[in-house]
Amino acid sequence: MNSNAKEYVVGQRNVNTFMYLKKASRVLLNQAKANQEGSFYNYMTSMLTSAFYLEAYLNHSGFKFYEIRENNSYWKDFEKLNPDKKLEKWSEMICFKIDYGRRPFQTFKEIFKFRNKLVHGKSEIINVNQIQKASEEHTYTQLPKLNWEKMVNMQTAERFLNDAIEMVEILNKQAGFSSTELYTLASTSTVSQLSSTEQI
Protein backbone atom coordinates (compact mmCIF):
# COMPACT_ATOMS: atom_id res chain seq x y z
CA MET A 1 0.00 0.00 0.00
CA ASN A 2 1.28 3.44 -0.91
CA SER A 3 2.27 5.11 2.37
CA ASN A 4 1.64 8.50 0.75
CA ALA A 5 -1.96 7.72 -0.16
CA LYS A 6 -4.79 9.62 1.48
CA GLU A 7 -8.17 8.23 2.27
CA TYR A 8 -11.14 10.55 2.51
CA VAL A 9 -14.00 9.28 4.62
CA VAL A 10 -17.40 10.93 4.37
CA GLY A 11 -20.07 9.90 6.84
CA GLN A 12 -21.63 10.46 10.20
CA ARG A 13 -21.61 8.61 13.51
CA ASN A 14 -24.38 9.34 15.99
CA VAL A 15 -23.32 8.55 19.57
CA ASN A 16 -26.00 8.03 22.22
CA THR A 17 -24.01 9.05 25.30
CA PHE A 18 -26.88 8.19 27.61
CA MET A 19 -26.67 4.57 26.46
CA TYR A 20 -22.96 4.38 27.30
CA LEU A 21 -23.80 5.62 30.79
CA LYS A 22 -26.60 3.09 31.16
CA LYS A 23 -24.23 0.29 30.17
CA ALA A 24 -21.52 1.60 32.51
CA SER A 25 -23.95 1.62 35.43
CA ARG A 26 -24.98 -1.98 34.66
CA VAL A 27 -21.37 -3.18 34.34
CA LEU A 28 -20.40 -1.59 37.67
CA LEU A 29 -23.43 -3.07 39.38
CA ASN A 30 -22.63 -6.56 38.07
CA GLN A 31 -18.98 -6.21 39.10
CA ALA A 32 -20.02 -5.26 42.62
CA LYS A 33 -22.30 -8.29 42.86
CA ALA A 34 -19.60 -10.63 41.56
CA ASN A 35 -16.78 -9.40 43.78
CA GLN A 36 -17.23 -8.29 47.39
CA GLU A 37 -13.82 -6.62 47.45
CA GLY A 38 -14.28 -3.00 46.47
CA SER A 39 -18.01 -3.52 45.96
CA PHE A 40 -18.90 -0.38 47.94
CA TYR A 41 -17.13 1.78 45.37
CA ASN A 42 -18.68 -0.04 42.42
CA TYR A 43 -22.17 0.33 43.91
CA MET A 44 -21.47 3.99 44.64
CA THR A 45 -20.26 4.66 41.10
CA SER A 46 -23.12 2.68 39.57
CA MET A 47 -25.62 4.82 41.49
CA LEU A 48 -23.87 7.99 40.39
CA THR A 49 -23.74 6.84 36.78
CA SER A 50 -27.49 6.08 36.84
CA ALA A 51 -28.03 9.78 37.57
CA PHE A 52 -25.71 10.71 34.68
CA TYR A 53 -27.62 8.32 32.40
CA LEU A 54 -30.97 9.85 33.29
CA GLU A 55 -29.84 13.44 32.80
CA ALA A 56 -28.06 12.55 29.55
CA TYR A 57 -31.32 11.11 28.22
CA LEU A 58 -33.18 14.32 29.12
CA ASN A 59 -30.49 16.27 27.23
CA HIS A 60 -30.76 13.86 24.29
CA SER A 61 -34.55 14.10 24.07
CA GLY A 62 -34.64 17.86 24.62
CA PHE A 63 -32.06 18.45 21.89
CA LYS A 64 -33.90 16.11 19.54
CA PHE A 65 -37.21 17.88 20.17
CA TYR A 66 -35.81 21.36 19.54
CA GLU A 67 -33.64 20.22 16.62
CA ILE A 68 -36.74 18.98 14.80
CA ARG A 69 -38.28 22.41 15.28
CA GLU A 70 -35.01 24.22 14.46
CA ASN A 71 -35.27 26.18 17.67
CA ASN A 72 -31.73 26.42 19.03
CA SER A 73 -32.43 29.27 21.46
CA TYR A 74 -34.98 27.18 23.37
CA TRP A 75 -32.55 24.25 23.45
CA LYS A 76 -29.84 26.41 25.02
CA ASP A 77 -32.29 27.50 27.72
CA PHE A 78 -33.32 23.89 28.31
CA GLU A 79 -29.71 22.71 28.56
CA LYS A 80 -29.00 25.19 31.38
CA LEU A 81 -31.77 23.84 33.62
CA ASN A 82 -31.03 21.53 36.56
CA PRO A 83 -32.28 17.92 36.25
CA ASP A 84 -35.49 18.58 38.23
CA LYS A 85 -36.44 21.49 35.97
CA LYS A 86 -35.46 19.56 32.85
CA LEU A 87 -37.83 16.75 33.77
CA GLU A 88 -40.57 19.23 34.63
CA LYS A 89 -40.11 21.10 31.36
CA TRP A 90 -39.84 17.93 29.27
CA SER A 91 -43.00 16.46 30.80
CA GLU A 92 -44.88 19.68 29.90
CA MET A 93 -43.57 19.53 26.35
CA ILE A 94 -44.80 15.97 25.81
CA CYS A 95 -48.04 16.50 27.79
CA PHE A 96 -47.19 13.92 30.44
CA LYS A 97 -48.21 14.20 34.09
CA ILE A 98 -45.55 12.76 36.39
CA ASP A 99 -46.59 10.85 39.49
CA TYR A 100 -43.85 11.48 42.05
CA GLY A 101 -45.79 9.44 44.61
CA ARG A 102 -44.80 6.06 43.21
CA ARG A 103 -42.00 4.40 41.35
CA PRO A 104 -40.27 4.88 39.04
CA PHE A 105 -40.56 8.70 39.25
CA GLN A 106 -40.65 8.55 43.04
CA THR A 107 -36.95 7.66 42.82
CA PHE A 108 -36.00 10.64 40.61
CA LYS A 109 -35.35 13.16 43.38
CA GLU A 110 -33.55 10.55 45.48
CA ILE A 111 -31.21 9.74 42.59
CA PHE A 112 -30.26 13.38 42.11
CA LYS A 113 -30.02 14.12 45.80
CA PHE A 114 -27.39 11.37 45.95
CA ARG A 115 -25.71 12.67 42.79
CA ASN A 116 -25.55 16.23 44.12
CA LYS A 117 -24.00 15.13 47.40
CA LEU A 118 -21.10 13.57 45.51
CA VAL A 119 -20.75 15.97 42.57
CA HIS A 120 -20.69 18.90 44.98
CA GLY A 121 -18.97 16.85 47.64
CA LYS A 122 -17.15 18.33 50.59
CA SER A 123 -15.42 16.88 53.62
CA GLU A 124 -17.59 16.64 56.72
CA ILE A 125 -17.10 15.85 60.40
CA ILE A 126 -19.49 13.47 62.14
CA ASN A 127 -19.66 13.68 65.91
CA VAL A 128 -20.59 10.59 67.88
CA ASN A 129 -21.41 10.40 71.57
CA GLN A 130 -23.01 7.10 72.50
CA ILE A 131 -22.35 3.82 74.22
CA GLN A 132 -21.72 0.89 71.89
CA LYS A 133 -21.35 -2.76 72.65
CA ALA A 134 -17.71 -3.72 72.16
CA SER A 135 -17.14 -6.11 69.29
CA GLU A 136 -13.92 -6.66 67.38
CA GLU A 137 -15.92 -7.88 64.37
CA HIS A 138 -17.80 -4.61 64.01
CA THR A 139 -15.06 -2.14 64.84
CA TYR A 140 -15.40 -0.43 61.47
CA THR A 141 -19.12 -0.90 60.74
CA GLN A 142 -20.02 0.89 63.98
CA LEU A 143 -18.31 4.08 62.88
CA PRO A 144 -20.86 6.82 62.05
CA LYS A 145 -21.66 7.38 58.38
CA LEU A 146 -22.95 10.23 56.29
CA ASN A 147 -26.43 9.84 54.80
CA TRP A 148 -25.10 9.25 51.29
CA GLU A 149 -22.79 6.49 52.61
CA LYS A 150 -25.77 4.74 54.20
CA MET A 151 -27.51 4.72 50.82
CA VAL A 152 -24.77 2.75 49.07
CA ASN A 153 -25.77 -0.91 48.78
CA MET A 154 -26.88 -3.46 46.20
CA GLN A 155 -30.62 -2.89 46.67
CA THR A 156 -30.41 0.88 46.18
CA ALA A 157 -28.02 0.60 43.24
CA GLU A 158 -30.41 -1.83 41.52
CA ARG A 159 -33.41 0.38 42.24
CA PHE A 160 -31.65 3.50 40.92
CA LEU A 161 -30.71 1.83 37.65
CA ASN A 162 -33.98 -0.06 37.10
CA ASP A 163 -36.12 2.98 37.88
CA ALA A 164 -33.94 5.22 35.69
CA ILE A 165 -34.37 2.78 32.80
CA GLU A 166 -38.14 2.66 33.31
CA MET A 167 -38.38 6.46 33.47
CA VAL A 168 -36.47 6.77 30.20
CA GLU A 169 -38.68 4.18 28.49
CA ILE A 170 -41.87 5.90 29.67
CA LEU A 171 -40.72 9.36 28.62
CA ASN A 172 -39.44 8.11 25.28
CA LYS A 173 -42.73 6.37 24.48
CA GLN A 174 -44.78 9.39 25.57
CA ALA A 175 -42.68 11.62 23.29
CA GLY A 176 -43.41 9.34 20.34
CA PHE A 177 -39.73 8.62 19.74
CA SER A 178 -38.49 5.32 18.35
CA SER A 179 -37.38 2.78 20.95
CA THR A 180 -34.43 1.75 18.74
CA GLU A 181 -32.15 4.40 20.25
CA LEU A 182 -32.77 2.97 23.73
CA TYR A 183 -30.80 -0.12 22.72
CA THR A 184 -28.15 1.50 20.50
CA LEU A 185 -24.79 2.87 21.63
CA ALA A 186 -24.09 4.52 18.28
CA SER A 187 -25.14 4.40 14.65
CA THR A 188 -23.20 5.17 11.49
CA SER A 189 -24.67 6.56 8.29
CA THR A 190 -23.57 5.45 4.83
CA VAL A 191 -19.83 6.04 4.41
CA SER A 192 -18.15 6.93 1.13
CA GLN A 193 -14.41 6.37 0.74
CA LEU A 194 -12.30 8.02 -1.93
CA SER A 195 -8.65 7.07 -2.36
CA SER A 196 -6.04 9.53 -3.55
CA THR A 197 -2.36 9.15 -4.35
CA GLU A 198 -1.58 12.81 -3.85
CA GLN A 199 1.77 13.45 -2.18
CA ILE A 200 1.61 14.54 1.46
Side-chain angles (χ1 to χ4, degrees):
M1 180 177 177
N2 187 345
S3 60
N4 292 322
K6 289 182 179 179
E7 184 177 62
Y8 295 92
V9 179
V10 180
Q12 189 177 64
R13 181 169 177 258
N14 298 320
V15 180
N16 295 324
T17 303
F18 70 97
M19 284 302 300
Y20 276 91
L21 293 166
K22 172 188 172 182
K23 186 167 185 177
S25 183
R26 176 71 71 194
V27 168
L28 289 161
L29 179 59
N30 289 340
Q31 287 178 350
K33 289 179 180 179
N35 188 358
Q36 183 64 29
E37 185 178 354
S39 61
F40 175 89
Y41 301 101
N42 279 330
Y43 285 133
M44 179 184 76
T45 311
S46 173
M47 291 165 65
L48 189 58
T49 309
S50 290
F52 295 158
Y53 156 60
L54 193 48
E55 184 171 10
Y57 172 76
L58 290 172
N59 290 337
H60 165 83
S61 55
F63 177 76
K64 189 173 180 178
F65 182 89
Y66 288 122
E67 184 184 38
I68 291 170
R69 288 155 182 76
E70 297 182 348
N71 202 328
N72 291 328
S73 61
Y74 279 107
W75 155 245
K76 289 178 181 178
D77 290 338
F78 181 87
E79 189 179 23
K80 293 174 184 176
L81 298 174
N82 65 38
D84 285 6
K85 292 297 183 182
K86 281 179 182 175
L87 178 60
E88 184 181 310
K89 182 67 176 176
W90 181 237
S91 63
E92 289 176 3
M93 289 158 58
I94 61 175
C95 302
F96 177 67
K97 185 174 176 59
I98 293 174
D99 184 357
Y100 289 106
R102 62 178 183 174
R103 294 174 62 186
F105 289 96
Q106 187 180 49
T107 310
F108 184 90
K109 292 185 184 297
E110 190 180 356
I111 288 174
F112 284 97
K113 184 177 180 181
F114 177 82
R115 173 255 192 204
N116 291 341
K117 277 291 184 183
L118 292 180
V119 171
H120 306 291
K122 59 182 179 181
S123 299
E124 299 182 54
I125 296 173
I126 311 174
N127 294 313
V128 59
N129 185 11
Q130 63 185 40
I131 298 173
Q132 296 181 347
K133 185 178 179 180
S135 171
E136 290 186 6
E137 287 180 35
H138 302 97
T139 300
Y140 296 103
T141 57
Q142 287 186 352
L143 291 175
K145 294 181 179 180
L146 293 170
N147 288 333
W148 71 260
E149 290 178 293
K150 296 175 185 176
M151 293 174 67
V152 178
N153 55 59
M154 182 182 71
Q155 291 76 16
T156 308
E158 285 184 326
R159 179 165 58 86
F160 274 22
L161 178 56
N162 291 335
D163 284 2
I165 291 171
E166 190 174 351
M167 281 186 264
V168 166
E169 290 176 347
I170 291 171
L171 293 170
N172 200 73
K173 183 177 180 180
Q174 185 66 25
F177 293 157
S178 169
S179 62
T180 303
E181 289 181 332
L182 302 186
Y183 305 97
T184 308
L185 293 174
S187 60
T188 305
S189 61
T190 303
V191 176
S192 300
Q193 294 181 330
L194 303 172
S195 297
S196 172
T197 55
E198 292 180 9
Q199 297 294 315
I200 297 177

